[in-house]
Amino acid sequence: MAGILVFAELQGGAFATGSLGLLEEAERLGQALGEPVHALVCGDVDGSQAAALGRHGATVVHVAAGGGYGLAQPIVDAVATLQAAESFRYLLFGASIAASDAAAGAAVRLDAGLVIDAVELAADGGELVTRRAGLGDSVLAHCAFTTPVGVVVVRANAFAAAEDRSGPDAELRTFAPEFRTFSTAARISGHEEAEQSGVDIGEADVLVGGGRGLGKAENFALCEALAAALGGAVAATRAVVDAGWYPYSSQVGQTGKMVSPRCYIAVGISGAIQHKVGMQSSGLIVAINKDANAPIFDFADFGVVGDLHAIVPKLTELVKARG
Ligand SMILES: Cc1cc2nc3c(=O)[nH]c(=O)nc-3n(C[C@H](O)[C@H](O)[C@H](O)COP(=O)(O)OP(=O)(O)OC[C@H]3O[C@@H](n4cnc5c(N)ncnc54)[C@H](O)[C@@H]3O)c2cc1C
């Protein structure tokens, strides 16, 4: 096993900037390990565009012929075909929906070790040692491989690509992946952009988070009135997003956004770990909950035990009265 393969993902006809940054990081890693760096491109790409990956650190670019690469399985087939011929030691993917899926599939197909959400790649004793964030980014675990082949999914945009990098073109090699029947059984029939409306909760100074304790979608008006009085925005838990009460763009937590406003007011939110990891770094956490034993009170700076329907309108009035 020798060499590093980087999956260079095409998005809308151009290489994802995260892939370019990852390729540059792989070049640095390759120099430290004494390993060559190759890139894999799946999809329609013209020769000069693919060869230009040489500027970002690839010495060879393998272009997989065929189509349907918007889905993960054809990419897994391409990786497996290439790996059978080249025997790379490490395969690196920048996190995206398709690339993360493909990395997981490739790890299974190749019987390789898998590290996800890596934020650093380091050479140590001739081996790749990744640093992987855990427990809501509060710890960094150092992960190495016990398998001959290691697959790494790097956190999205963990490595920035240099603006104007020069360098020689990479050598181009085209190959035909051996597609499995099931890999081509599904295809993408269209793309739709999710609507993003209102304030970006990642940017807001004050967030009023609404949870299932609100009882129904209409009661989010209470959070909206308080947020408006404070000049902030409204966030939500997954429970209410899943129930269709509020849009996904407002979801805070493990499968939503990470936020750290100056003040986070949790209204009718229990404080489950998956929500906590998304907002625990907020400056001041205020919780309003009728259950004195709700986990949110374990990490709130200020807690009010009571019915949100009585407390939130009064709080909004007080804030408005103070101007
Ligand atoms: C893999 C995975 C990923 C997940 N990702 C996320 C994520 O990204 N974000 C997220 O939020 N969750 C996530 N979850 C879900 C999470 O585990 C919780 O189920 C969810 O956060 C609970 O939302 P909640 O606090 O609104 O609802 P609940 O847990 O039902 O809490 C409602 C709270 O409202 C209080 N309440 C009820 N009525 C009133 C009232 N009248 N006045 C005051 N208080 C009242 C109750 O005492 C209770 O504490 C994930 C779960 C899994 C398994």
Side-chain angles (χ1 to χ4, degrees), residues 210-215 236-240 242 248 251-257 267-277 288-291 294-296 306-309 311:
R212 191 152 37 195
L214 285 164
T237 64
R238 176 164 163 180
V240 299
D242 284 353
Y248 172 69
Q251 184 178 315
V252 167
Q254 184 184 327
T255 44
K257 286 192 178 142
V267 177
I269 292 177
S270 60
I273 181 69
Q274 296 90 351
H275 188 76
K276 182 184 174 189
V277 296
I288 301 167
N289 196 305
K290 69 177 184 185
D291 176 5
I296 189 98
D307 186 351
L308 65 90
H309 298 282
I311 296 161

Side-chain angles (χ1 to χ4, degrees), residues 6-8 10 15 39-43 45 50 53 61-65 69 175:
V6 175
F7 176 61
L10 283 167
F15 288 113
L40 167 64
V41 179
C42 293
V45 68
L53 289 176
V61 176
H62 303 269
V63 180
Y69 291 117
F175 71 103

Side-chain angles (χ1 to χ4, degrees), residues 214-292:
L214 285 164
K216 55 183 177 180
E218 292 71 28
N219 288 339
F220 259 94
L222 296 172
C223 295
E224 286 165 354
L226 179 55
L230 289 165
V234 176
T237 64
R238 176 164 163 180
V240 299
V241 170
D242 284 353
W245 295 0
Y246 229 65
Y248 172 69
S249 56
S250 315
Q251 184 178 315
V252 167
Q254 184 184 327
T255 44
K257 286 192 178 142
M258 302 288 161
V259 296
S260 49
R262 218 156 36 85
C263 176
Y264 188 96
I265 304 177
V267 177
I269 292 177
S270 60
I273 181 69
Q274 296 90 351
H275 188 76
K276 182 184 174 189
V277 296
M279 44 68 79
Q280 64 188 349
S281 57
S282 303
L284 178 78
I285 298 174
V286 179
I288 301 167
N289 196 305
K290 69 177 184 185
D291 176 5

Side-chain angles (χ1 to χ4, degrees), residues 95-111:
S96 72
I97 292 172
S100 301
D101 261 7
V108 172
R109 190 82 72 84
L110 304 175
D111 207 12

